[in-house]
């Protein structure tokens, strides 16, 4: 008697089911952004690139205060904080170095990490949409992420922001599959990997670590009725924790050892800034907004923190110097407001309806809100108490939950107003319109700016 075997997907089926043609086109789009961008014009790329260049040349990780990686103005480097993206960049540079010594080719090799992370984020967004959304609204969610001008820009140069967004996509996909299928080992592994990558990216994204811990334990112990002594639960926990530690623990142990117990590298950064920064940038000579007696409300509105952060979340190029046309900011504002209004309607319906999975939906929704509040709060806190820098990239880790809430809200509004087919048509029109906006930004703003 023949045993049943799982059906193997043909190459054509894999391409179709994983939407690889779309993913390849997205990769080409992001690569074009990167190829066109000249050196030393993107925010902090000059400082960031010193790290992989050092590793490429010397084959070792730099001390954060090494003069070869230290910025002459600020007196510090990014070597005090996690540099996993730059370590990977150095690997790409090593490969490129086998064929050429051209400086721009090596820079492009280092940028490849951001290009690939942006592309992988979109691929995971496609998979997330397949689990949570249907029809045209699946693609609206993906387009909102893939073609946000600032996200495309982040995918073009050496930074940690794009890597952080990628790590949050991995975490969120683990949440979705974990809650839906009661945390199979694969979801636990994805959670551990995502959390490890997140820990090695940007501190502004650390809200995802807190939310993941809450969601994992509450969903397993309170909702799926697992017990601490249950072997199956312990395996899940060990898989997630083990992969997290394998990816991230070594860095913080290293920092603890070489930076006198400062495993986050924050205090040592301020120390060297005071030592080596130019006089006007030394912490002792540059009073913070808080020290100047400005209120938090004054920071948000009078100093235009909120407006600048919003504009640079949608799209500002160069070193926060090149704005896109104003009508694009208004389009996204309208999209977000419509999504917010729809979410209010959906929330009211959600409270009233009966659903066996209502507890898990509450949990995921609250954790999503948490991952949106924390980066905004941290960015405000940093601008208020340290260095006033309202930049959208510092809150970019909220991209996926924001766009999911926006999509759900728009779907609610459209299905409330129109029938299913008409609602889907409007979703397609909106997705096509946002794609056209992205094309306009690339060909009408970005390309003329840097060519």
């Amino acid at each position: 008697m023949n045993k049943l075997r799982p059906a193997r997907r043909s190459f054509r089926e894999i391409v179709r089911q994983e939407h690889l043609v779309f993913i390849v086109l997205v990769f080409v789009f992001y690569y074009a952004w990167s190829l066109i961008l000249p050196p030393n014009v993107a925010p902090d790329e000059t400082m960031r690139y010193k790290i992989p260049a050092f590793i490429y040349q010397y084959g070792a990780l730099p001390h954060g205060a090494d003069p070869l990686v230290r910025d002459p103005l600020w007196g510090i480097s990014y070597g005090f904080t996690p540099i996993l993206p730059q370590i990977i960049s150095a690997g790409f540079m090593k490969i490129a170095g086998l064929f050429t010594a051209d400086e721009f080719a090596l820079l492009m090799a280092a940028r490849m990490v951001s290009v690939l992370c942006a592309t992988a984020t979109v691929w995971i967004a496609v998979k997330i949409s397949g689990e949570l959304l249907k029809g045209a609204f699946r693609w609206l969610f993906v387009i909102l992420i893939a073609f946000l001008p600032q996200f495309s820009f982040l995918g073009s140069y050496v930074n940690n922001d794009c890597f952080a967004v990628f790590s949050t996509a991995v975490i969120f996909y683990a949440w979705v599959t974990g809650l839906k299928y009661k945390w199979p080992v694969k979801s636990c592994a994805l959670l551990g990997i995502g959390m490890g990558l997140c820990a090695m990216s940007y501190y502004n994204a650390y809200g995802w670590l807190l939310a993941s811990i809450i969601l994992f334990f509450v969903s397993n112990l309170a909702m799926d009725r697992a017990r601490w002594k249950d072997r199956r639960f312990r395996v899940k926990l060990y898989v997630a924790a083990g992969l997290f530690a394998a990816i991230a623990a070594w860095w913080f142990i290293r920092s603890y050892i070489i930076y006198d117990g400062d495993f986050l590298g924050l205090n040592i950064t301020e120390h060297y800034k005071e030592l080596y920064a130019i006089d006007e940038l030394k912490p002792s000579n540059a009073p913070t907004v808080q020290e100047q007696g400005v209120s938090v409300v004054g920071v948000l509105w009078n100093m235009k923190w909120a407006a600048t952060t919003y504009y640079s979340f949608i799209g500002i190029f160069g070193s926060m110097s090149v704005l896109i046309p104003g009508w694009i900011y208004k389009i996204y504002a309208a999209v977000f407001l419509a999504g917010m209004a729809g979410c209010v309607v959906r929330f009211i319906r959600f409270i009233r309806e009966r659903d066996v999975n209502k507890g898990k939906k509450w949990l995921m929704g609250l954790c999503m809100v948490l991952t949106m509040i924390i980066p905004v709060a941290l960015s405000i806190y940093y601008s208020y108490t340290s260095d006033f820098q309202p930049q959208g990239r510092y809150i970019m880790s909220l991209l996926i939950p924001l766009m999911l809430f926006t999509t759900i809200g728009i779907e609610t509004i459209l299905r409330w107003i129109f029938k299913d087919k008409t609602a889907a048509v409007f979703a397609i029109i909106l997705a096509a319109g946002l794609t056209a906006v992205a094309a306009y930004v690339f060909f009408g703003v970005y390309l003329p700016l840097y060519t």
Side-chain angles (χ1 to χ4, degrees), residues 2 6 27 151 294 316 345 357 416:
N2 293 330
F27 169 80
F151 183 65
V294 181
I316 294 183
V345 174
N357 293 316
W416 186 29

Side-chain angles (χ1 to χ4, degrees), residues 80 203 251-252 254-271:
F80 292 116
Y203 293 149
W251 171 263
F252 298 100
R254 173 184 180 269
S255 296
Y256 183 86
I257 294 171
I258 68 175
Y259 300 138
D260 296 325
D262 186 11
F263 68 96
L264 292 178
L266 300 178
N267 294 328
I268 197 75
T269 297
E270 292 300 306
H271 172 73

Side-chain angles (χ1 to χ4, degrees), residues 59-367:
L61 301 183
H63 187 286
D66 193 305
L68 293 177
V69 297
R70 215 170 56 216
D71 182 78
L73 298 178
W74 290 96
I76 56 172
S77 79
Y78 283 114
F80 292 116
T81 52
I83 56 172
L84 181 57
Q86 285 74 56
I87 294 173
I88 301 172
S89 289
F92 281 111
M93 292 173 69
K94 285 287 187 182
I95 296 171
L98 297 175
F99 304 97
T100 181
D102 180 75
E103 285 295 327
F104 187 72
L106 293 175
L107 176 61
M108 281 300 300
R111 287 174 172 178
M112 190 56 64
V113 174
S114 293
V115 175
L116 291 174
C117 282
T119 306
T121 299
V122 176
W123 176 59
I124 297 173
V126 172
K127 300 181 79 66
I128 291 169
S129 70
E131 296 285 350
L132 298 177
L133 301 165
K134 295 180 181 179
F137 294 96
R138 286 187 58 189
W139 290 101
L140 177 58
F141 169 68
V142 173
I143 295 302
L144 280 167
I145 292 171
F147 295 141
L148 182 72
Q150 191 67 30
F151 183 65
S152 299
F153 185 54
L154 287 175
S156 70
Y157 66 94
V158 179
N159 62 75
N160 277 24
D161 309 272
C162 207
F163 190 84
V165 176
F166 164 65
S167 73
T168 67
V170 176
I171 291 173
F172 192 73
Y173 186 57
W175 286 9
V176 172
T177 57
L179 290 175
K180 192 172 184 178
Y181 305 111
K182 294 189 176 182
W183 290 102
V185 172
K186 180 181 178 181
S187 297
C188 299
L190 280 175
L191 182 66
I193 291 169
M195 291 178 68
L197 296 177
C198 184
M200 295 292 283
S201 63
Y202 227 137
Y203 293 149
N204 292 47
Y206 276 21
W208 283 87
L209 303 183
L210 174 62
S212 293
I213 293 170
I214 294 171
L215 184 137
F216 180 80
F217 283 105
V218 172
S219 63
N220 273 286
L221 298 177
M223 296 177 178
D224 292 337
R225 304 300 180 185
R227 297 181 179 179
W228 278 102
K229 296 181 180 180
D230 184 358
R231 180 180 178 276
R232 188 175 298 177
F233 171 71
R234 282 184 288 152
V235 168
K236 295 176 182 181
L237 178 61
Y238 295 158
V239 167
L243 287 170
F244 169 75
I247 294 170
W250 68 271
W251 171 263
F252 298 100
I253 294 172
R254 173 184 180 269
S255 296
Y256 183 86
I257 294 171
I258 68 175
Y259 300 138
D260 296 325
D262 186 11
F263 68 96
L264 292 178
L266 300 178
N267 294 328
I268 197 75
T269 297
E270 292 300 306
H271 172 73
Y272 278 101
K273 186 186 291 186
E274 184 64 37
L275 282 179
Y276 296 115
I278 59 175
D279 287 342
E280 54 264 37
L281 294 179
K282 292 181 184 294
S284 59
N285 295 332
T288 65
V289 175
Q290 182 184 32
E291 292 170 344
Q292 294 174 32
V294 181
S295 67
V296 174
V297 174
V299 169
L300 294 178
W301 304 113
N302 298 338
M303 297 183 69
K304 298 184 178 180
W305 184 95
T308 306
T309 297
Y310 171 72
Y311 290 143
S312 55
F313 181 83
I314 303 303
I316 294 183
F317 306 145
S319 295
M320 291 289 293
S321 57
V322 181
L323 278 75
I324 56 180
W327 58 267
I328 297 178
Y329 300 114
K330 293 177 182 177
I331 286 176
Y332 273 97
V335 169
F336 291 145
L337 287 173
M340 188 183 303
C343 279
V344 172
V345 174
R346 185 67 167 261
F347 181 67
I348 294 171
R349 291 179 182 175
F350 173 71
I351 293 174
R352 294 174 178 175
E353 69 184 13
R354 294 183 178 181
D355 188 339
V356 293
N357 293 316
K358 197 168 186 176
K360 289 186 176 181
K361 290 180 180 179
W362 265 110
L363 177 62
M364 172 169 271
L366 290 173
C367 286

